[in-house]
Amino acid sequence: FQSFKNDSGERNLVFLSNKIEPFSTLETAPLFDDLKKELTRKKVLHPGFTASYCWTPVARGCDVVTISCEGSDPLLYIPPVLTFLQSGNCYTALPNKYGVRIYYSLILCPGWKKAQLVFEQLKIYGRCSRQLHPMLIILGQKKEDVKRVRIRGCNVLVTTPHSFLRLFEHHSLLFCRLCHLILDEVDVLFCSATEQVFSILDCYKKAFFPEILEYSPHQIIAVGTHWNKHITHLIKEFMNDPYIVITAMEEASIYGNVHQVVQLCMNSDRIAVLLKILDFNHSNIQKMLVFTNSVDEAEMVHKALKSKSVVALKIHKESLSNLKYILEQWTKKHSSGTQVVLVLTDDCMQALGITDATCVVHFSFPSPRIFGQRLHTMSDNFCNLIKDSSVGQEYMKAKSVILLTENSERDALGMLYYMQHAEAEIPPELHDLTAKMLEAEEDTKCSRPLCTYLKTFGICKNRKVCPDRHRINLQTDLCQNIPAIRTSGYVTILPLHIVNATNYFGRIVDKQKDQYTILAEEINDYFKKPSNKISVKNVEKLALYGLCEKMFFHRVQVVEILAKEEGNLFFSVKVKYIDEGRTSRVQNHHLLHLPAEFQCLPPQAVEFIVCRVKPIDDEIEWNPEVVTHFINQKIKGKVHEAKIVHTLGNTVWVDPMVRVTRISDLKMSVNEYNVRSEILSTGLATDNAEHITQLQKLCRRAEVTDNAKNLEPLMKEDISVPENLSNLQNMSSQEHFTENCNSSAVTLGNHLCDGVAQTKISEETTLHQHKCFYPQIKWFQNEETVTVKVKVASVADCNCEFSKEKVIFRACSGDKLYLADMDLHHCILPEKSTYVIKDKEAVIVLMKEKKEAWSKLLKNKNLHVSLDFEHWEAFEDKSPFPDGTE
C-alpha cells in the first residue's frame, strides 16, 4: 500500500501488487508528446490519482488490473495504449506467417452505448498518432451482416463480447492477430456476459504459443469499479505477473478477503455489543481499533471499557501529545493471546499510520471515504488471493465489524449492497430493514414518472440508481387530461414521434369522424389570415399557444421558460406538441395567441409501446443507429392498425401493430408488415414473453394496495339491501363513481354497480352484503345485428328493457344481484330486439337501426365489456380491424 497527498492536502490510498512510482504532471506522464498536447486541448491538464499509477505499466505493455471509483472512464487506458501502439518496432519481429502489419487491439465493452463512447474517444485522441483505423462493430444475429464485416487495416477494434464471438464464428483467424485485449468495466462484463468473456480469454490464451510470445506483445488490461471473484480467476489463469492497482480501499478489502460483519443494535446498546465482540479467546495476538466520530464518544467508550476491566488505549485530537506513547504500546511485542484495544477518532488515523490491525470496530457509522481509510488500517493482514489459491473464509486474518443503529438507518441500503458485493453473511434484520426502506424510497418517488424501462420491457435492471418510480400509482397514472382511450380491441394509430424502436407518440385516429383532423383544418384556416397571427407578449408556463412549423400550425404547451438574458426581448422556451408528444425549443416571439375554441379539445398525443420484444445480449436500450433509425423510417407518419392489450393513463401497449393497405378495387386488405416482426428482423432484438405479465402484476399490486386503503371505510358503510329486483332501477339514480375510461385499472368507489367496474377484492369483500354487481359482457356483430352475451350463471330471475339508445339488463343469481345499464353508441330498433336465457349466460340480440359497422358497443367505456373474438364476423370488404376508436 502507498499513500499520496493531493493538492488539497487529503491523503489518497492505493494498493499495488508491484511497486510503481506515480507521476503528478502531464509533462512527466509516459505518453508521446502529440498525445499530451491533444489531452491539454481537451482540458485534461493533469492525470487523475488512479491514472498516475496505472498509465505507466499499461504503456510498458504489462498486464494490468485497475479497480477505482473512476473505473468506468476509458481515459484510464486509452492514452497509454495509444502510446504503446505508436512504438511500431514492438511488432516488427512478429513472424510473417502471422502478418507483420495486421496486429490489432481488442476493446470489449459491456454494451453498444459504452462501445460507442470508447470509439468516439479513440477517434479524438487517435488523430494525433499514426493512422490506427479504429472500428466499431456491433453485430446482431443476422449471419449475412456478420459475413460482410471486413477488418483489414484495423489496429483497434471496439465491440461487445457477444458481437465479437459472432464475428469469430466467420473469421476464425481473429485471435492470431490479437496483441492487446482490454476489458472495459470488467466487473460489469463479468456480471452480464461471464461465459462469453471467458470464452474469448480461452481463445486468446490458446492462440499464442511460447515461440510467438517472445516476438510480440501479449497484453491484457482490465479496468473496473468493483472487485469480484471472476477477476481473481482472470489474474490466475490468463495474466502474467500483472500490476494490480486498487484506489478504492473498500474494494481492496474484498480483494484482501476481509471478514465483513454487520451487527444491528440500538444506539444505547452499542457498549454491550462491543463488550461481546471483545469477549473471545484467540491464540494469536489481536490488535483492535474502535473508531468513534467525536472526542466525547471516544472518552465515553474508553471509560465504559475501563469500568468493565478491559485494558484499552485511547487517542483523539485533544490527546495527540500521547501519540508517541500510544505507538510504543501498539508496536511493542506482545505474547500470544494478547488483546490490544485502541479507541480513537478518525482524525488520528493519518498521524498513527497503523496498518497491522486485525480487527476494526465501527462504533460510529463511517462515510464511504472514511470507511475505506479505516479498512486500510488492517492492510498488512489482507490475504493475497492471487498467490494463495487456498484462501477462504476460514483463512481470513482481518475482520471489520459495523454497528448499525437506528441513527444510521439511512445508510442501511448502501451497507446491504456492499455486503452482497463482498459475498458476506447478511443478518435477516438487515434484509427486513432495507425492504422497508426500499418501500419508503418508492413512496418518495410518487411525483416522478413511471420508469421508462419498466414500461418498455417490463423490468428495470438499474433500480438501485434509477430516479423514476417503479410502482403504479392509481392517482398519478390514471388521472390525466387525455383523450378517451379504449382498454382493449383494435384501433387505428398514427405514430408521429419515434422515441426508440418500440416506444412512439402519436394519435388514435377515428376514421368515421376524427375530431383532431377537423380541428387542425380549422386552426390552419384561422392562421392563414395574417391578422390572426398575434405574437404572445407575456409567455406563461403551461399555457397553450399556436406555433407554425413548415407551413403547418400546431397546438403547443410551454413546459419550461429558459433563462432570459438581461435586456434581450427574445428568449427560448421549451414547448410540447400536445397532439404529437414531442418537445422542442423555440423562440418566444414565434408563439401565437391561440383562441379558446381551439383549446377545448383535450391533448391528442398518446404513448404507444410495442410489446414482447427487447434488445438482444441483455442490453437495456435500443441501438439508435440501427434499430430505431430503421423503425423510424418505416412507420413515422403512416397509419397502422393495432390491437390494444393494456392501457395505463396515457400509455397504450399494442400487440400486434400492423401496416394495412386496402385495395379498394378488389375489396380486400393486405398486411404489409408487422412492426414487432420488423424489429426482430434487424437481428438486434429478441422475444420478451414476460413483458405484459410483469405490467399486469404491477397493476394488480397497485389495485390491492389501493383497495386495502379503502377497505376499512368501505366495510363500515351502512348499505341498504333492496327488497326485490324492482327497486334496482331506483338505486341507479343514487350517487356513484364512473369508471376511468382511460385505464385498465379502476378505483374502488361506491357500492352501486351502475357504471362502476368493481374489482375482484371489492366483490369478494361485499359478497354477503347483497350488493349489486355489473356482469361480464362480450359482444360481436354482423351487418344487421349486435349480439351481447351477459355472463350470469344459474339465472333465477331476469328482465331486459330496450329503448332506442339504451338497454337495461337486470338479473338475480343465488345471493347476487346484477345490473347492466348500457348507453349504446348507436341506435337500435327496440321492437325487433330480444333476449334469451341460457345455462350460464343471457344472450341479447339488438337489431341495428342502420346497417353499419359499430366501432364500439357503449358510449362510455366499461372494463366489463369486451369484444367476443370467437364469434366476430368481419365484413368481407373491411379490414379485420374495426374502424374508429372509443
Side-chain angles (χ1 to χ4, degrees):
F1 278 86
Q2 293 183 16
S3 64
F4 176 82
K5 281 190 177 182
N6 59 22
D7 295 337
S8 61
E10 294 180 341
R11 186 176 62 146
N12 292 320
L13 301 170
V14 58
F15 168 80
L16 303 171
S17 61
N18 298 294
K19 188 179 173 87
I20 300 173
E21 288 298 329
F23 51 89
S24 58
T25 64
L26 200 58
E27 289 74 18
T28 58
L31 309 176
F32 63 93
D33 291 338
D34 289 341
L35 182 53
K36 292 178 184 178
K37 294 176 182 177
E38 185 65 30
L39 286 166
T40 303
R41 279 194 291 268
K42 295 298 179 183
K43 308 300 181 184
V44 183
L45 303 179
H46 53 79
F49 176 66
T50 306
S52 67
Y53 283 94
C54 69
W55 277 6
T56 300
V58 171
R60 292 175 185 168
C62 304
D63 288 349
V64 179
V65 173
T66 301
I67 302 297
S68 167
C69 58
E70 306 161 352
S72 59
D73 186 359
L75 285 183
L76 285 179
Y77 61 84
I78 286 180
V81 166
L82 292 178
T83 298
F84 191 88
L85 292 175
Q86 279 296 104
S87 55
N89 58 339
C90 296
Y91 308 94
T92 54
L94 196 67
N96 286 335
K97 64 179 180 178
Y98 294 103
V100 174
R101 294 182 298 274
I102 56 173
Y103 66 89
Y104 73 99
S105 303
L106 172 63
I107 302 177
L108 292 178
C109 299
W112 67 262
K113 201 168 188 177
K114 183 59 183 291
Q116 181 72 48
L117 172 64
V118 171
F119 180 66
E120 294 299 327
Q121 294 278 304
L122 280 171
K123 288 197 298 183
I124 292 172
Y125 296 107
R127 289 196 297 255
C128 60
S129 64
R130 64 183 180 83
Q131 294 299 315
L132 298 174
H133 305 291
M135 286 185 65
L136 172 65
I137 297 181
I138 303 297
L139 295 171
Q141 297 169 329
K142 294 175 69 174
K143 293 184 178 180
E144 54 270 27
D145 290 344
V146 179
K147 292 177 181 179
R148 285 196 294 265
V149 175
R150 296 291 180 267
I151 57 175
R152 291 172 187 159
C154 167
N155 292 122
V156 183
L157 177 61
V158 184
T159 186
T160 65
H162 294 87
S163 291
F164 186 76
L165 288 177
R166 293 184 188 111
L167 185 65
F168 180 55
E169 290 179 6
H170 298 276
H171 299 269
S172 58
L173 298 178
L174 281 175
F175 287 98
C176 296
R177 302 171 47 193
L178 181 57
C179 292
H180 308 273
L181 175 57
I182 302 164
L183 305 178
D184 183 281
E185 295 192 57
V186 61
D187 48 321
V188 181
L189 283 173
F190 278 135
C191 288
S192 60
T194 310
E195 182 180 344
Q196 290 75 20
V197 173
F198 279 122
S199 295
I200 293 171
L201 286 166
D202 284 333
C203 293
Y204 184 48
K205 182 178 180 180
K206 295 174 183 177
F208 272 78
F209 301 99
E211 63 270 19
I212 299 176
L213 285 172
E214 62 178 295
Y215 294 116
S216 65
H218 187 256
Q219 183 184 35
I220 298 178
I221 302 167
V223 179
T225 55
H226 299 293
W227 185 273
N228 65 35
K229 60 185 179 182
H230 296 302
I231 299 177
T232 304
H233 185 64
L234 165 70
I235 294 171
K236 290 179 180 179
E237 298 296 327
F238 302 101
M239 288 184 160
N240 179 28
D241 191 22
Y243 283 78
I244 302 173
V245 180
I246 307 178
T247 57
M249 287 303 100
E250 62 275 13
E251 298 302 322
S253 72
I254 297 176
Y255 162 83
N257 209 27
V258 173
H259 183 197
Q260 299 285 353
V261 177
V262 172
Q263 182 74 50
L264 274 73
C265 63
M266 298 299 294
N267 193 64
S268 57
D269 295 335
R270 286 184 297 167
I271 293 294
V273 174
L274 177 59
L275 290 171
K276 288 182 181 180
I277 296 171
L278 294 170
D279 186 22
F280 67 91
N281 296 317
H282 205 286
S283 58
N284 298 322
I285 299 172
Q286 291 297 299
K287 291 187 172 184
M288 178 181 293
L289 296 176
V290 180
F291 283 100
T292 61
N293 61 7
S294 68
V295 173
D296 291 341
E297 194 170 62
E299 290 286 352
M300 182 267 291
V301 171
H302 182 261
K303 184 178 180 180
L305 294 179
K306 189 176 179 180
S307 68
K308 297 295 182 180
S309 302
V310 176
V311 179
L313 305 170
K314 70 170 180 180
I315 188 168
H316 47 71
K317 64 181 180 180
E318 295 180 5
S319 62
L320 285 176
S321 57
N322 297 328
L323 180 64
K324 185 177 179 180
Y325 171 76
I326 296 295
L327 285 174
E328 287 176 354
Q329 295 298 311
W330 182 267
T331 56
K332 75 177 185 180
K333 291 186 178 181
H334 299 277
S335 58
S336 297
T338 303
Q339 191 175 72
V340 182
V341 180
L342 173 59
V343 182
L344 73 161
T345 53
D346 295 317
D347 49 16
C348 297
M349 277 190 290
Q350 186 172 344
L352 289 168
I354 292 174
T355 57
D356 63 343
T358 58
C359 180
V360 163
V361 177
H362 306 272
F363 192 83
S364 62
F365 200 87
S367 66
R369 180 178 176 82
I370 293 297
F371 182 59
Q373 291 181 358
R374 290 179 180 181
L375 294 175
H376 176 256
T377 61
M378 300 184 291
S379 56
D380 290 353
N381 291 305
F382 284 7
C383 299
N384 192 328
L385 298 181
I386 308 307
K387 295 180 180 178
D388 188 357
S389 60
S390 63
V391 171
Q393 192 81 8
E394 65 275 16
Y395 292 96
M396 291 175 173
K397 299 178 183 178
K399 184 177 182 180
S400 169
V401 182
I402 301 168
L403 303 187
L404 188 64
T405 71
E406 70 274 15
N407 294 338
S408 51
E409 284 185 352
R410 65 183 183 278
D411 301 298
L413 270 177
M415 185 50 57
L416 173 68
Y417 296 150
Y418 179 74
M419 296 291 284
Q420 291 173 336
H421 169 47
E423 298 184 358
E425 184 177 350
I426 302 172
E429 298 88 351
L430 182 58
H431 275 300
D432 296 340
L433 175 62
T434 51
K436 294 176 182 177
M437 292 183 66
L438 285 171
E439 288 293 316
E441 185 178 337
E442 279 296 324
D443 290 339
T444 64
K445 297 179 179 180
C446 59
S447 61
R448 295 288 306 171
L450 188 62
C451 174
T452 301
Y453 298 106
L454 208 61
K455 293 196 294 184
T456 308
F457 306 124
I459 187 172
C460 176
K461 296 180 181 179
N462 294 322
R463 290 189 64 164
K464 291 180 183 178
V465 296
C466 180
D468 292 332
R469 183 163 42 89
H470 299 91
R471 285 199 313 228
I472 291 174
N473 185 314
L474 295 181
Q475 286 72 34
T476 302
D477 292 323
L478 304 188
C479 300
Q480 301 182 28
N481 182 24
I482 55 176
I485 301 175
R486 63 191 300 172
T487 58
S488 62
Y490 295 95
V491 291
T492 301
I493 67 176
L494 179 65
L496 297 169
H497 173 52
I498 312 303
V499 179
N500 58 44
T502 54
N503 194 341
Y504 332 122
F505 283 89
R507 293 190 293 108
I508 295 178
V509 180
D510 189 333
K511 294 181 181 178
Q512 294 180 343
K513 186 179 180 181
D514 190 66
Q515 291 180 312
Y516 175 75
T517 302
I518 298 171
L519 177 67
E521 291 176 357
E522 292 175 353
I523 291 176
N524 280 272
D525 289 341
Y526 174 81
F527 283 119
K528 282 181 181 179
K529 298 179 181 179
S531 59
N532 291 334
K533 297 179 181 178
I534 305 172
S535 296
V536 179
K537 293 181 180 180
N538 297 318
V539 177
E540 297 180 6
K541 189 175 180 179
L542 302 182
L544 295 182
Y545 301 104
L547 178 66
C548 183
E549 186 180 76
K550 297 179 181 180
M551 304 302 294
F552 189 83
F553 291 89
H554 301 266
R555 298 191 302 168
V556 298
Q557 182 181 40
V558 174
V559 294
E560 183 181 0
I561 300 176
L562 305 177
K564 304 177 184 178
E565 294 184 10
E566 190 174 347
N568 194 344
L569 295 176
F570 303 130
F571 54 90
S572 296
V573 295
K574 185 178 180 181
V575 299
K576 179 179 180 180
Y577 295 74
I578 63 172
D579 301 311
E580 294 186 11
R582 59 189 171 100
T583 60
S584 69
R585 290 186 178 185
V586 299
Q587 289 290 303
N588 64 310
H589 59 89
H590 290 157
L591 298 177
L592 303 174
H593 174 72
L594 187 68
E597 61 265 26
F598 298 144
Q599 300 183 28
C600 296
L601 186 68
Q604 298 295 292
V606 177
E607 182 181 22
F608 302 107
I609 296 177
V610 174
C611 302
R612 296 189 303 114
V613 62
K614 63 182 179 180
I616 59 171
D617 303 339
D618 221 21
E619 294 272 9
I620 62 172
E621 293 186 42
W622 292 107
N623 189 315
E625 295 187 1
V626 182
V627 188
T628 301
H629 178 70
F630 169 71
I631 295 300
N632 182 70
Q633 288 187 319
K634 193 97 178 173
I635 71 171
K636 185 176 180 180
K638 299 177 182 177
V639 173
H640 293 73
E641 309 293 341
K643 180 183 177 182
I644 296 176
V645 295
H646 194 73
T647 60
L648 188 64
N650 200 31
T651 304
V652 175
W653 285 263
V654 295
D655 186 24
M657 175 178 168
V658 181
R659 170 69 172 168
V660 178
T661 300
R662 291 177 175 81
I663 306 175
S664 56
D665 293 343
L666 299 178
K667 293 184 178 181
M668 63 180 295
S669 301
V670 177
N671 293 346
E672 284 189 37
Y673 57 81
N674 182 314
V675 175
R676 179 176 179 272
S677 299
E678 292 296 306
I679 296 171
L680 290 169
S681 71
T682 64
L684 292 168
T686 188
D687 182 62
N688 184 13
E690 295 298 314
H691 186 183
I692 291 300
T693 303
Q694 293 296 330
L695 288 170
Q696 290 171 342
K697 286 181 181 178
L698 284 173
C699 288
R700 285 195 295 269
R701 194 175 302 137
E703 291 176 8
V704 168
T705 303
D706 188 70
N707 290 337
K709 293 178 181 177
N710 291 278
L711 189 58
E712 185 175 352
L714 180 71
M715 296 295 291
K716 293 179 180 178
E717 288 182 2
D718 184 14
I719 302 173
S720 58
V721 181
E723 296 180 0
N724 52 55
L725 289 175
S726 62
N727 294 327
L728 285 174
Q729 190 167 4
N730 294 329
M731 290 174 59
S732 66
S733 62
Q734 298 178 27
E735 180 183 359
H736 65 273
F737 291 101
T738 305
E739 167 202 350
N740 186 328
C741 64
N742 300 323
S743 171
S744 61
V746 294
T747 304
L748 189 63
N750 191 283
H751 64 274
L752 295 179
C753 68
D754 187 9
V756 180
Q758 296 281 1
T759 64
K760 182 179 179 180
I761 289 180
S762 173
E763 291 176 0
E764 292 176 349
T765 56
T766 58
L767 175 63
H768 300 292
Q769 295 175 321
H770 298 281
K771 287 189 177 182
C772 181
F773 296 94
Y774 204 112
Q776 293 292 329
I777 292 174
K778 289 189 175 183
W779 70 283
F780 59 93
Q781 64 178 315
N782 57 30
E783 190 174 10
E784 297 181 346
T785 64
V786 173
T787 302
V788 180
K789 299 168 71 174
V790 185
K791 299 292 182 181
V792 180
S794 304
V795 177
D797 190 8
C798 74
N799 180 41
C800 191
E801 297 177 5
F802 301 97
S803 60
K804 190 173 183 180
E805 297 180 352
K806 182 189 274 292
V807 174
I808 299 176
F809 174 83
R810 305 182 183 89
C812 181
S813 176
D815 58 352
K816 286 187 179 180
L817 308 177
Y818 292 92
L819 171 64
D821 192 342
M822 296 175 278
D823 290 321
L824 302 175
H825 183 59
H826 294 279
C827 296
I828 63 171
L829 299 175
E831 65 278 6
K832 294 186 178 181
S833 300
T834 185
Y835 71 99
V836 61
I837 303 300
K838 295 187 177 181
D839 183 32
K840 295 183 178 180
E841 63 184 11
V843 180
I844 305 171
V845 180
L846 307 176
M847 185 64 66
K848 295 179 181 179
E849 186 180 69
K850 296 180 181 179
K851 294 182 179 180
E852 59 183 4
W854 286 21
S855 60
K856 56 184 180 179
L857 178 65
L858 307 179
K859 288 181 179 179
N860 298 315
K861 188 60 187 173
N862 190 306
L863 289 177
H864 291 281
V865 180
S866 61
L867 289 170
D868 187 351
F869 292 103
E870 295 180 0
H871 299 85
W872 188 269
E873 296 179 20
F875 305 128
E876 293 182 358
D877 58 342
K878 296 283 185 180
S879 163
F881 300 90
D883 292 337
T885 179
E886 291 187 17

